[in-house]
Every structure is written in structure tokens, then in C-alpha cells.
Amino acid sequence: MSDADVTEIATQTMLVAAKVAAPILLTALLVGFMISLFQAATQIQEPTLSFVPKMIAVAIALLVTGNWVLAELVSFTEHLFESLPRLLGRS
């Protein structure tokens, strides 16, 4: 296995990680931003006000995108296992 192979695997791993984390992180970011705007407009400074809606939104995002996330992870793992003989120098 060469340095280029290791770099390629690391790059693919980071891209898959970013792809599967994006729906959850973006959901939490958008909901947090909306709640912050609401708190600023109403001057309600309750810390727990942002936690519960974010938790609910992230749970919904997981339910909606969970199948896709699992499919992406399985696809990446299968691709990695299929490329093991080539990476180890055996064809």
C-alpha cells in the first residue's frame, strides 16, 4: 500500500463523514439559528428553550435521512473491502 493509497482512503473517508453528518448538523444549525432569532426578538433568554426543539429536529432529521446515511456507509465499506486485494498488492 502506497502513500497515495492511504491519502485516497483518508480523503474518501472524510468526504463520506462530511456527507453523512451534513443533514444532522445543518438541521441543528438552522433550528438553533431560528430559535436564536426568536429569543432575540422576544428577549426570552431561557437556555432550555433552544435544546428541546433542536433535539426534536435532529431526531426527525435522523428518521428522514437515516436510510440514506446507512446506505452511504454500507456502500463506502463495501467499496473499501472490495479494494483490499488491490491495496495489499494482490490482484
Side-chain angles (χ1 to χ4, degrees):
M1 183 167 6
S2 68
D3 293 342
D5 292 332
V6 173
T7 305
E8 178 71 22
I9 292 171
T11 303
Q12 289 176 354
T13 302
M14 287 187 277
L15 285 173
V16 168
K19 279 173 47 177
V20 300
I24 309 310
L25 293 176
L26 289 175
T27 300
L29 177 72
L30 289 174
V31 170
F33 180 71
M34 299 293 276
I35 291 171
S36 294
L37 283 177
F38 175 75
Q39 285 181 323
T42 60
Q43 295 188 357
I44 298 173
Q45 298 303 322
E46 179 63 33
T48 58
L49 182 63
S50 65
F51 179 72
V52 174
K54 268 199 269 189
M55 187 173 64
I56 292 169
V58 166
I60 292 171
L62 276 172
L63 287 173
V64 170
T65 63
N67 193 25
W68 173 79
V69 167
L70 185 61
E72 285 291 319
L73 291 174
V74 168
S75 172
F76 174 70
T77 305
E78 286 175 348
H79 173 70
L80 193 60
F81 284 156
E82 288 170 0
S83 64
L84 274 178
R86 180 187 59 82
L87 293 172
L88 296 176
R90 302 177 194 124
S91 21

